[in-house]
Amino acid sequence: MIMKNRSDSLKLAGIEAAIRRLPQGHTRREYLMQQQKQINAGIIGEEVLNKLFNRVKFNFDYFIFHDLHLKSSATFQIDTLFLSPYYAIILEMKNISGHIKIRQNHPQMERTLVTGQTDYFKNPVGQIMEITDVFEDFLNMNGVSLPLYRAIVFKDANRSLQFDEVTIPIFGPQELPHFIRTLPRELCKLSPLELSDLVDVLLSNHREYIPLPIVQHFFIESKDIMPGVLCNICQALTVEKRFREWRCRSCGMVTKTAHYEALRDYALVLSNKINNREFRRFLKIQNPREASDIIRRMKLNKTGSKKTREYLLEYQNMRPQK
């Protein structure tokens, strides 16, 4: 049973917002587009596992969690956790094509395409070993003793693998059901009640990952981020405030809520706080009173006194009031 699906990736949303708001020739734009592809590849990989678990069933109780963010001795993220009364399996999903070379004690994984291009990524062996250690800490903190297994799953069939002798299994999705069925189940470690309690603990301790603003994470100058309200129709930063509505001067699109999307971009790319002056600059509003009126209607939480007042842009709550 799938208990938790993948959450919307705020990092991906921030990268996409930054790409929209950087000039075409900006030096960091291409790098951001590469990051966008990597995250999307990971999402596709997890969708493959979802389809697999929806199709394949096992004759014992089990629960599946995608994209778990937990904290023990450190904050950590698990791509996919397979939990049963007998054991838990940590799965690290990779959606990378080409010739893959993995070395046990090397910090990077090497990928070579048919074109001869070579790229380097974090070594998943080191990643999954570290995640296993801190997840074991998490279980111990919650009074749970459970055998832990781990595996690295490569989604793309269009790849070849070369790796040193490693203790961590590396295979494709089609081999995963057999791997799960061959793990020992002679001794039940958790009663049904204990298993249910652990599921509740995992779900209640999960915290959505809130990344740093993109300009900080990727070392981009804030001044390079183009202000303005984006048109959802023609994708141009040509939407202007007209009385109680927003109108695109390029295509004529009219809406009353375009500022929400702009401020969500601001929260992800620049900062989760904004003052009235910066609010007007970014949304290109001339009248301070008009800006204050919009802020009041949005019911934004605020900090500071009148002269130092800032408004909190909480991404998950940046939706028009119904």
Side-chain angles (χ1 to χ4, degrees):
M1 178 187 298
I2 297 175
M3 296 300 298
K4 181 188 176 300
N5 285 304
R6 184 181 181 91
S7 308
D8 289 337
S9 171
L10 293 185
K11 184 177 179 181
L12 176 60
I15 287 172
E16 290 172 342
I19 291 171
R20 289 193 296 268
R21 291 180 176 274
L22 282 173
Q24 285 292 331
H26 194 277
T27 54
R28 299 296 282 171
R29 205 167 185 275
E30 184 176 346
Y31 178 74
L32 287 175
M33 292 174 75
Q34 291 173 357
Q35 293 293 307
Q36 180 188 29
K37 287 180 182 178
Q38 285 186 28
I39 296 173
N40 279 322
I43 292 171
I44 293 170
E46 289 185 14
E47 287 174 352
V48 168
L49 283 186
N50 249 345
K51 290 179 181 178
L52 176 73
F53 287 128
N54 282 325
R55 178 173 55 84
V56 178
K57 304 299 178 186
F58 304 95
N59 61 354
F60 55 90
D61 290 335
Y62 62 94
F63 300 93
I64 296 158
F65 305 79
H66 293 298
D67 193 31
L68 265 180
H69 292 264
L70 301 169
K71 185 176 181 180
S72 59
S73 51
T75 301
F76 62 100
Q77 183 259 350
I78 299 176
D79 275 0
T80 297
L81 178 69
F82 184 98
L83 178 66
S84 79
Y86 310 97
Y87 53 73
I89 311 172
I90 295 172
L91 300 172
E92 182 76 13
M93 190 72 186
K94 297 298 178 187
N95 183 17
I96 302 173
S97 60
H99 176 74
I100 310 296
K101 186 175 182 180
I102 300 174
R103 286 169 283 182
Q104 175 83 34
N105 297 313
H106 195 277
Q108 292 180 313
M109 172 178 66
E110 182 180 299
R111 187 272 301 274
T112 305
L113 299 174
V114 291
T115 60
Q117 176 183 327
T118 299
D119 301 299
Y120 296 92
F121 306 85
K122 286 184 179 178
N123 191 331
V125 172
Q127 282 182 293
I128 202 168
M129 289 174 66
E130 182 181 353
I131 290 167
T132 305
D133 289 343
V134 289
F135 182 58
E136 188 170 26
D137 290 343
F138 177 87
L139 293 178
N140 291 335
M141 287 166 57
N142 287 279
V144 177
S145 178
L146 195 64
L148 297 182
Y149 297 91
R150 52 203 173 189
I152 299 168
V153 184
F154 278 85
K155 177 257 175 187
D156 202 320
N158 185 28
R159 49 98 180 116
S160 63
L161 283 172
Q162 175 187 346
F163 49 88
D164 298 340
E165 286 289 329
V166 292
T167 56
I168 299 172
I170 303 174
F171 45 68
Q174 69 279 1
E175 299 165 80
L176 180 57
H178 176 74
F179 172 74
I180 292 173
R181 290 190 177 106
T182 55
L183 292 176
R185 297 198 309 276
E186 290 82 12
L187 187 60
C188 187
K189 293 288 187 178
L190 299 175
S191 69
L193 179 58
E194 289 171 329
L195 182 62
S196 177
D197 286 345
L198 180 53
V199 169
D200 290 341
V201 166
L202 290 168
L203 291 175
S204 63
N205 279 273
H206 167 76
R207 293 293 179 268
E208 293 299 332
Y209 173 60
I210 308 296
L212 285 172
I214 294 298
V215 293
Q216 294 181 35
H217 191 86
F218 292 105
F219 305 102
I220 298 170
E221 292 284 345
S222 297
K223 63 180 177 58
D224 295 342
I225 301 299
M226 296 185 292
V229 177
L230 188 78
C231 177
N232 287 332
I233 304 300
C234 65
Q235 299 299 303
L237 290 167
T238 52
V239 178
E240 298 175 339
K241 189 73 171 65
R242 300 281 181 86
F243 302 104
R244 284 186 172 268
E245 65 184 23
W246 296 86
R247 181 182 296 271
C248 177
R249 66 174 184 270
S250 295
C251 71
M253 182 276 299
V254 176
T255 176
K256 292 186 177 181
T257 58
H259 54 291
Y260 279 91
E261 285 291 338
L263 292 172
R264 281 160 60 189
D265 282 1
Y266 189 97
L268 290 168
V269 178
L270 291 165
S271 173
N272 64 351
K273 294 180 181 179
I274 194 168
N275 58 30
N276 188 293
R277 185 175 184 177
E278 179 67 0
F279 187 96
R280 285 181 279 125
R281 181 198 71 83
F282 194 74
L283 271 63
K284 296 186 176 180
I285 297 174
Q286 301 299 321
N287 191 329
R289 183 171 294 180
E290 187 174 31
S292 296
D293 188 45
I294 296 173
I295 291 170
R296 179 183 53 77
R297 292 201 304 271
M298 292 182 71
K299 299 179 181 178
L300 298 175
N301 291 323
K302 56 194 176 186
T303 61
S305 61
K306 190 171 183 180
K307 289 185 177 180
T308 61
R309 181 157 295 163
E310 290 183 307
Y311 301 91
L312 303 182
L313 303 178
E314 297 158 310
Y315 181 83
Q316 294 89 335
N317 299 327
M318 298 291 291
R319 295 288 188 274
Q321 300 291 323
K322 292 185 179 180

